[in-house]
Amino acid sequence: TTQLAQTTLRSVAGQHELDEMLASRDRLNSDIQRILDEQTEAWGIKVSNVELKHIDLDERMIRAIAKQAEAERLRRAKVIDAQGESQAAEKFLEAAGILSQNDQAMQLRYLTTLQTIASDRSNTIVFPMPMELIGRLSLKGSAGEEK
């Protein structure tokens, strides 16, 4: 019966992920008990309780589990990062909508940006030029050449 229990444990445990086994030990215990009880019934043995206390894992299995856990943590980090990017994009879109409704709001944002740049102690200050102004200047330049 003991050897049958060990074989059954290996068989059932091999069908599940370690996280799943840890999270649903009661279900695992019940499955093993049911399988053992069916097989030992012919011998007149009734299995009344199965409880997993300790499972020895070989070194390869431990490394595989650690690698899987690391991959899962990396996956979660990427998902959280992508969700953050998505939320930031939504906020930028919302802010752009608000700023586009009022020229003064855009001017205030422009001045705030210049103030932020000026407070940085770098030697380079960039003055953004609106694309509309560049377009107007290039049209005037090309119109002047045609005359």
Side-chain angles (χ1 to χ4, degrees), residues 112-126:
T112 303
T113 302
L114 288 178
Q115 183 180 19
T116 302
I117 292 171
S119 67
D120 185 13
R121 296 182 184 210
S122 89
N123 295 329
T124 305
I125 296 179
V126 177

Side-chain angles (χ1 to χ4, degrees), residues 56-88:
D56 290 328
L57 300 173
D58 68 5
E59 200 60 38
R60 288 177 295 143
M61 186 66 127
I62 292 171
R63 282 194 301 269
I65 290 167
K67 191 173 181 180
Q68 180 183 11
E70 182 179 349
E72 179 61 22
R73 284 191 301 273
L74 183 60
R75 184 194 70 80
R76 284 189 215 140
K78 287 180 179 180
V79 167
I80 290 169
D81 188 42
Q83 288 171 339
E85 289 291 328
S86 176
Q87 290 171 358

Side-chain angles (χ1 to χ4, degrees), residues 13-26:
Q15 298 172 9
H16 301 283
E17 298 287 328
L18 182 64
D19 293 344
E20 183 185 353
M21 286 191 291
L22 295 173
S24 57
R25 276 191 321 207
D26 293 337

